[in-house]
Amino acid sequence: MPSETITGVVLRYANYRERDRMLTLLSPDHGRVDVLSRGCRKPGSPLMPSSELFVQGDFVLFRQQDRYTLTSCAITEPFYSLRLDAYRLTCATYLVNLAQLAAQPEQAAPGLFRLLLQGLYHLTYGKDDQPALSVTNAYLLLYAAETGYRPRLNHCVRCGEPLPRDRGAKLDMVAGGLCCSRCTGGEQVALTAQQITWMRDVLAKGFDAPLGSADPLLFEALRRYVEHRLECSIKSSQFLP
């Protein structure tokens, strides 16, 4: 039976039987891949380091019909220090939870894979001017754009009028963007001009934009926007901001 090497990052694991784990990987070429890590929980197992959450590497898989079994892995980045900071760990868990919801089996996801790694790298190695919540906010916004829900920020999504750059507006969860002061109603969250400018910068520059200080109100708005679009709530977000 053939073996193949898949570049991926571990989105989730679940202990299985006494010594095994089921892993969910995100691969840029194969999307979501479910893998059995057999015997990884035995003392001294060489598979245990690669069967942890967030691990990035080249996973060698034995394939039998539609089932994959992990045989070895060359770890590229373990993101180990995320486990030493409870808040950054929670943010990183939220990032991989979102990625898992968007990824589909056997559907290439290079953009989602790249975005997740950028988020994890910034959470792990970010400087003092990149608080964990700001990284999470940027990820939420870029995730919305990557998955086809990019919010419209320059014109009112209901009436089409241009939005003044020096004024705030309301983020409309249903319509998918900002609304002017005349178009009210439904599920909307007020944003300041400064918050909207930040969103435009991040959509234009990605993580290269100045992420600034943590903004819990913006997190709540973006979380509601993304989870409304996904039509589900994510448990890990309850522990943020």
Side-chain angles (χ1 to χ4, degrees):
M1 293 295 179
S3 294
E4 58 185 292
T5 301
I6 290 179
T7 298
V9 59
V10 179
L11 300 179
R12 179 181 179 271
Y13 72 77
N15 290 336
Y16 178 62
R17 296 176 177 168
E18 292 186 3
R19 298 185 173 185
D20 306 340
R21 274 184 177 174
M22 292 299 301
L23 310 178
T24 300
L25 309 180
L26 174 63
S27 163
D29 299 320
H30 300 274
R32 193 178 75 236
V33 183
D34 294 322
V35 177
L36 173 62
S37 182
R38 181 173 287 136
C40 68
R41 295 161 61 205
K42 293 191 296 185
S45 170
L47 296 181
M48 190 60 192
S50 57
S51 302
E52 297 282 5
L53 195 61
F54 312 128
V55 168
Q56 176 198 3
D58 294 323
F59 296 81
V60 181
L61 307 179
F62 174 81
R63 182 171 185 173
Q64 187 173 22
Q65 296 180 349
D66 293 330
R67 298 181 179 180
Y68 290 98
T69 301
L70 179 66
T71 59
S72 65
C73 178
I75 295 176
T76 305
E77 174 58 63
F79 296 109
Y80 178 77
S81 61
L82 286 175
R83 300 170 180 83
L84 306 179
D85 185 312
Y87 190 76
R88 288 182 180 269
L89 175 63
T90 304
C91 290
T93 301
Y94 188 46
L95 267 56
V96 297
N97 291 163
L98 287 166
Q100 183 178 350
L101 285 171
Q104 299 298 320
E106 296 304 327
Q107 291 187 14
L112 183 63
F113 180 79
R114 181 171 56 253
L115 176 61
L116 176 61
L117 286 184
Q118 288 176 332
L120 293 177
Y121 271 95
H122 281 277
L123 283 176
T124 306
Y125 304 112
K127 301 176 182 178
D128 293 338
D129 61 347
Q130 292 183 333
L133 188 61
S134 294
V135 173
T136 305
N137 286 348
Y139 180 88
L140 277 166
L141 185 57
L142 296 168
Y143 174 89
E146 177 64 33
T147 54
Y149 303 124
R150 181 188 182 103
R152 287 168 285 178
L153 304 179
N154 296 318
H155 294 77
C156 175
V157 292
R158 293 193 178 273
C159 70
E161 286 295 313
L163 296 170
R165 293 273 175 159
D166 58 347
R167 297 181 190 175
K170 294 180 180 179
L171 180 61
D172 192 304
M173 307 299 167
V174 177
L178 297 179
C179 286
C180 66
S181 58
R182 295 193 302 272
C183 297
T184 59
E187 190 176 352
Q188 298 178 340
V189 177
L191 298 177
T192 66
Q194 183 179 9
Q195 289 170 327
I196 296 169
T197 297
W198 182 91
M199 292 170 66
R200 291 187 179 115
D201 287 345
V202 169
L203 285 175
K205 303 175 184 177
F207 285 103
D208 291 331
L211 299 186
S213 59
D215 188 337
L217 297 179
L218 184 57
F219 168 80
E220 184 60 22
L222 292 172
R223 180 198 66 78
R224 288 176 59 185
Y225 179 79
V226 167
E227 293 186 10
H228 178 87
R229 294 285 161 171
L230 294 173
E231 297 184 344
C232 72
S233 59
I234 300 175
K235 186 176 180 180
S236 54
S237 70
Q238 298 174 10
F239 303 100
L240 298 170

